[in-house]
Amino acid sequence: MNLNNKTLIIIGAAGRLGREIVGAALESGANIVAVDQSEQALQVLQAKQGNNKGFLAIEGDITQAASIQRVIAAAVAKFGSLDGAVNTAYPRNDNYGRSFFDVTYEDFCENLSLHLGGYFLFMQQCAKYAVETQARFSLVNMSSIYGVMAPRFEVYAGTPMTMPVEYAAIKSALQHLGSYVSAYTKGSKFRVNSVSPGGILAGQDQAFLDRYNNYCREKGMLEPKDIVGAILFLLSDASEFVVGQNFIIDDGFSL
Ligand SMILES: NC(=O)c1ccc[n+]([C@@H]2O[C@H](COP(=O)([O-])OP(=O)(O)OC[C@H]3O[C@@H](n4cnc5c(N)ncnc54)[C@H](O)[C@@H]3O)[C@@H](O)[C@H]2O)c1
């Protein structure tokens, strides 16, 4: 995928999916502004890039408008333009991931504020930048198959994992917000789409993987590198008229 001369912000750049997206987008020729809340993790990313002139790492927080505005300004100051972004942040509080009956009202609301609220704010600020500068801008939000389908709770049986109720609310709402913002920004060159991966391999227990993989066609749970092709496509000019869509990448798990 050709991303030559494009400047892209990657939020959550130090995360499992973010690191892979940063590497693939750099290889496709883009200038990358890697943003994460974790300064320490960003330093590791920066060390890997050395003196790469097409790479800038900045600490940033999608729950703070001023922080997002600072990141956008830094991207434009360093590279002269801004053509798109990927939001792959995963904000959550310490109680995130509890079973349905154990989730308190406070934790439900806090996780929605951090995650859905942060994605709303980043989407709003990117759209504002694109509308005000009349720039062509492609935003990709990371959603999930669990924003589309009900959980298959049986795959988690006997493990400490579950599919958190907050996640279902956040990721489904995020897809609809993409439709809302696409409609609202009609007439501009701003577009937003989401990518919904199935589960990503991260050392899960084998019995769980076997149960999960049974629902898939070939590979089962995927690796971060299996997701990036769709993201690069959405960032590229090849998808110029793809707007407000959700791409599911799950080896057939949700079918
Ligand atoms: N891993 C999966 O199985 C999977 C599957 C489907 C969708 N997703 C989605 O993909 C995205 C990335 O997942 P991941 O597994 O790479 O997560 P991760 O936890 O490995 O990485 C997320 C990164 O976001 C950063 N972050 C958290 N809050 C932030 C904030 N307020 N501002 C800026 N950065 C912040 C963290 O420091 C971290 O580096 C998430 O939105 C997740 O819901 C993941």
Side-chain angles (χ1 to χ4, degrees):
M1 207 51 73
N2 181 353
L3 298 179
N4 282 338
N5 302 319
K6 289 197 186 297
T7 296
L8 307 170
I9 292 173
I10 314 292
I11 305 281
R16 186 172 293 122
L17 288 171
R19 291 190 300 267
E20 194 73 27
I21 298 164
V22 167
L26 282 170
E27 265 177 38
S28 299
N31 298 317
I32 292 300
V33 179
V35 180
D36 205 284
Q37 207 180 24
S38 164
E39 204 176 347
Q40 214 179 356
L42 273 185
Q43 282 168 4
V44 176
L45 269 190
Q46 180 66 69
K48 212 174 143 199
Q49 292 304 323
N51 291 329
N52 185 345
K53 290 198 166 33
F55 181 84
L56 174 67
I58 326 180
E59 191 191 345
D61 179 354
I62 54 163
T63 67
Q64 305 292 329
S67 175
I68 299 170
Q69 287 156 3
R70 189 174 50 82
V71 164
I72 291 176
V76 175
K78 163 105 177 151
F79 295 113
S81 69
L82 182 58
D83 307 280
V86 181
N87 192 350
T88 187
Y90 198 165
R92 62 253 209 211
N93 75 9
D94 290 343
N95 295 330
Y96 178 77
R98 292 182 169 173
S99 294
F100 177 61
F101 288 124
D102 299 329
V103 175
T104 64
Y105 173 77
E106 287 73 22
D107 283 329
F108 182 87
C109 293
E110 188 177 10
N111 280 301
L112 254 79
S113 294
L114 292 169
H115 194 150
L116 182 59
Y119 272 71
F120 148 73
L121 198 56
F122 187 66
M123 213 174 339
Q124 182 199 52
Q125 295 300 315
C126 289
K128 194 161 183 256
Y129 167 82
V131 168
E132 285 177 0
T133 61
Q134 298 183 2
R136 196 170 284 287
F137 193 109
S138 173
L139 171 63
V140 180
N141 283 323
M142 293 309 295
S143 186
S144 162
I145 48 167
Y146 289 125
V148 179
M149 65 182 290
R152 292 196 161 115
F153 286 109
E154 68 272 21
V155 300
Y156 301 102
T159 79
M161 295 182 289
T162 188
M163 214 303 283
V165 63
E166 304 95 313
Y167 201 65
I170 291 162
K171 294 305 196 187
S172 58
L174 182 57
Q175 290 172 27
H176 191 69
L177 276 186
S179 309
Y180 179 102
V181 177
S182 297
Y184 193 83
T185 56
K186 186 177 170 189
S188 78
K189 293 175 187 149
F190 177 81
R191 62 194 176 95
V192 53
N193 294 283
S194 57
V195 166
S196 287
I200 304 291
L201 282 165
Q204 294 94 340
D205 97 21
Q206 194 55 48
F208 163 77
L209 287 177
D210 291 344
R211 283 194 295 269
Y212 181 100
N213 293 352
N214 254 336
Y215 286 102
C216 300
R217 277 168 50 101
E218 192 185 336
K219 179 163 180 172
M221 202 156 274
L222 300 178
E223 297 168 77
K225 69 179 172 58
D226 299 321
I227 311 299
V228 295
I231 296 170
L232 299 187
F233 168 69
L234 287 171
L235 292 169
S236 78
D237 295 340
S239 61
E240 196 174 348
F241 300 107
V242 180
V243 185
Q245 300 301 309
N246 178 48
F247 285 11
I248 294 174
I249 305 164
D250 67 349
D251 194 27
F253 180 84
S254 59
L255 291 175

